[in-house]
Amino acid sequence: MTMDSSERPEADQPSRPQNPRAYYQPILALDTRIVTGYEVLGRDCGASGARSLGAYFSHPGVSEKAKRELDAFIREQAVREHGRLGRTEKLFINLQPGWLSGGSSGSVDSSVLPMLKLLEQCKVDPSLICIEVTEEDFDGEIECLVGAVREFRRAGCSIAVDDVGSRFSNLDRIAHIQPDMLKVDMNMVSRSAHHEGFHGVLRSLSAIADGIGASLLMEGVETRQDLQRAISAGARYVQGYLFSGAEAAFGSRDRYKRLLDSELLDTKRKQAGEESGRWRQAEELAREAERLLRDSGGEGGEEAFLAPLLRKLDAGCMRAYLCRSDGIQLSANYQRTEGGWIREEHYRGSDWSWRPYFVYSSVELLSGRRFAISRPYTDLDRGGRVRTVSVPAGPDMFLLVDVREDELG
């Protein structure tokens, strides 16, 4: 449906659009730093300017037939303009999932075929079309939606799932659709900076995109800070008012290249500085562990090794313990509290090989590395983001120190 996802229906019955037109909001690729496509949106253009058609499409009093006719009119206008000008950017076209299927039988609605015939008539390569569906809005049999998607994909179109994470997303449906792209609302990304729950969902969506081989598109990018968060989250594509709203015509492909070059460089420098700080801290920890092992001669057990080490750890280090290379914890947990370190005996004998980072870290240490640093993860006991620094602590034994992510570097 050619409407902005942020809009809501008006209370009063909206009048039928008098001069509906296709408008285009640019979508930028971070790898090339140019406009890679345009999302097609509907506008009613009158004397007072262009007005969004969101209220008309969303209003329950407007018949489905009227909505479909208007949607098809705008879609056809966009495809014809794209073909006439010989544009090579992708057109991102929203299609209501309920309009794609022909009922519970799993058949594909005939409205799909006119769309494909239109592409052929206008000499638009289907590979330049990305069909956006919002799986949240589909309440029929999944086979119907998958069948319609299959027809577009067979023709050469790519598929995007829109509004992922903004409401309840059915991961089973996403898996069935097998989209080429996941579109995530930037509002959730902005909230993730202040709320750990949203931050975790964003990381999960990034992991899902990576796991199913889909690219991540962050829409609603309105500020430079939004853009930096999108880059950090692993977005490949971005869209929003930081660059442009919906426009009546296509623009030049490289008009935002300088802005993207600058923000990518700043983000890269910031991330590199933070990572360098983490490596320096891990290096210092490894040197201290080596010194303690050398001074103790490998004797005295965990007390001789851990007690003096704890006094050296800075405030960001929240937990320390010893493990074998197979993941079995050999020592008690030493947990930092406001009153100092406490000893937690019940963790002795725990198996931490199930943690995703453990095998990778152990392989690195057994191959001769002085230390290993895990990826960030959420601490199960205290919450918050942590990383685990691992260093050799004797034959077949590792020292593991959990460090708060905001303290590393």
Side-chain angles (χ1 to χ4, degrees):
M1 191 177 297
T2 47
M3 60 174 284
D4 296 278
S5 60
S6 60
E7 292 167 347
R8 298 291 179 266
E10 295 174 352
D12 298 328
Q13 172 77 30
S15 59
R16 185 171 180 83
Q18 299 301 305
N19 185 26
R21 289 185 53 83
Y23 267 52
Y24 312 95
Q25 186 173 30
I27 294 171
L28 291 87
L30 293 180
D31 49 357
T32 59
R33 287 97 64 215
I34 62 175
V35 176
T36 192
Y38 291 88
E39 180 174 2
V40 178
L41 298 167
R43 296 291 184 266
D44 188 15
C45 300
S48 59
R51 180 174 59 87
S52 173
L53 294 174
Y56 185 82
F57 278 118
S58 300
H59 203 286
V62 179
S63 71
E64 288 297 299
K65 181 176 182 294
K67 292 178 183 179
R68 287 194 188 206
E69 289 176 351
L70 180 58
D71 185 74
F73 175 81
I74 293 171
R75 186 166 62 245
E76 179 176 344
Q77 187 181 84
V79 171
R80 290 192 181 281
E81 183 76 357
H82 189 278
R84 183 181 68 81
L85 297 174
R87 304 296 298 197
T88 57
E89 303 94 331
K90 276 183 178 288
L91 275 186
F92 287 69
I93 296 177
N94 297 272
L95 287 178
Q96 180 76 8
W99 298 353
L100 292 178
S101 59
S104 59
S105 63
S107 61
V108 179
D109 186 77
S110 59
S111 65
V112 172
L113 298 179
M115 173 65 183
L116 297 179
K117 289 179 180 178
L118 177 64
L119 297 179
E120 181 179 1
Q121 180 185 357
C122 297
K123 296 182 172 55
V124 174
D125 186 343
S127 68
L128 296 179
I129 301 297
C130 182
I131 302 298
E132 294 187 19
V133 295
T134 307
E135 57 84 27
E136 170 77 12
D137 292 337
F138 184 75
D139 56 5
E141 294 291 333
I142 185 63
E143 290 81 6
C144 302
L145 178 58
V146 171
V149 165
R150 188 184 299 119
E151 290 297 316
F152 282 113
R153 182 170 277 130
R154 184 179 295 153
C157 303
S158 55
I159 306 297
V161 174
D162 197 8
D163 287 343
V164 177
S166 61
R167 292 171 287 178
F168 177 78
S169 291
N170 190 316
L171 299 183
D172 180 63
R173 287 181 179 174
I174 292 177
H176 275 89
I177 295 170
Q178 295 182 322
D180 304 286
M181 192 175 301
L182 297 182
K183 292 190 71 174
V184 177
D185 188 349
M186 200 66 209
N187 288 324
M188 186 183 69
V189 181
S190 298
R191 287 180 287 179
S192 73
H194 309 289
H195 192 289
E196 182 59 31
F198 286 111
H199 196 98
V201 171
L202 176 61
R203 291 191 302 270
S204 297
L205 292 175
S206 181
I208 289 171
D210 183 63
I212 66 176
S215 297
L216 202 59
L217 192 165
M218 296 293 188
E219 58 182 334
V221 177
E222 298 183 357
T223 66
R224 287 176 180 263
Q225 190 176 36
D226 283 344
L227 178 56
Q228 290 172 0
R229 289 173 183 154
I231 294 170
S232 298
R236 184 179 182 183
Y237 304 105
V238 289
Q239 172 186 0
Y241 283 100
L242 175 63
F243 312 105
S244 173
E247 300 174 317
F250 302 107
S252 63
R253 301 195 70 177
D254 61 353
R255 52 182 163 156
Y256 308 109
K257 191 173 186 301
R258 182 176 296 179
L259 170 60
L260 288 180
D261 282 340
S262 173
E263 293 304 320
L264 282 166
L265 181 59
D266 285 350
T267 303
K268 181 167 57 180
R269 284 173 174 168
K270 179 182 178 182
Q271 291 175 340
E274 292 172 349
E275 203 64 27
S276 295
R278 296 180 183 112
W279 277 64
R280 285 193 299 271
Q281 187 182 41
E283 184 76 44
E284 292 171 4
L285 182 60
R287 280 199 299 267
E288 187 62 28
E290 290 167 357
R291 185 188 68 77
L292 290 171
L293 282 173
R294 187 171 58 250
D295 293 348
S296 67
E299 300 178 353
E302 67 179 77
E303 289 290 346
F305 182 77
L306 284 175
L309 178 69
L310 296 177
R311 294 193 291 268
K312 299 281 188 178
L313 297 181
D314 61 38
C317 299
M318 55 186 289
R319 188 181 300 114
Y321 51 102
L322 297 171
C323 277
R324 284 201 314 248
S325 60
D326 62 359
I328 300 300
Q329 186 164 333
L330 299 174
S331 73
N333 256 17
Y334 289 83
Q335 183 88 35
R336 186 189 293 276
T337 67
E338 291 183 2
W341 293 94
I342 61 172
R343 179 171 171 154
E344 300 174 319
E345 277 291 337
H346 61 279
Y347 282 100
R348 193 187 297 271
S350 297
D351 187 344
W352 299 110
S353 62
W354 61 270
R355 283 198 176 277
Y357 70 80
F358 191 89
V359 171
Y360 296 102
S361 295
S362 63
V363 168
E364 287 187 301
L365 297 181
L366 291 172
S367 65
R369 288 283 300 272
R370 294 184 68 198
F371 61 86
I373 308 176
S374 75
R375 290 186 175 183
Y377 62 94
T378 300
D379 186 70
L380 296 177
D381 293 331
R382 295 191 170 188
R385 300 290 283 168
V386 299
R387 291 197 187 204
T388 296
V389 178
S390 308
V391 300
D396 196 36
M397 186 165 66
F398 304 145
L399 165 69
L400 281 74
V401 178
D402 295 337
V403 186
R404 287 195 294 269
E405 171 71 355
D406 58 355
E407 296 290 344
L408 277 166

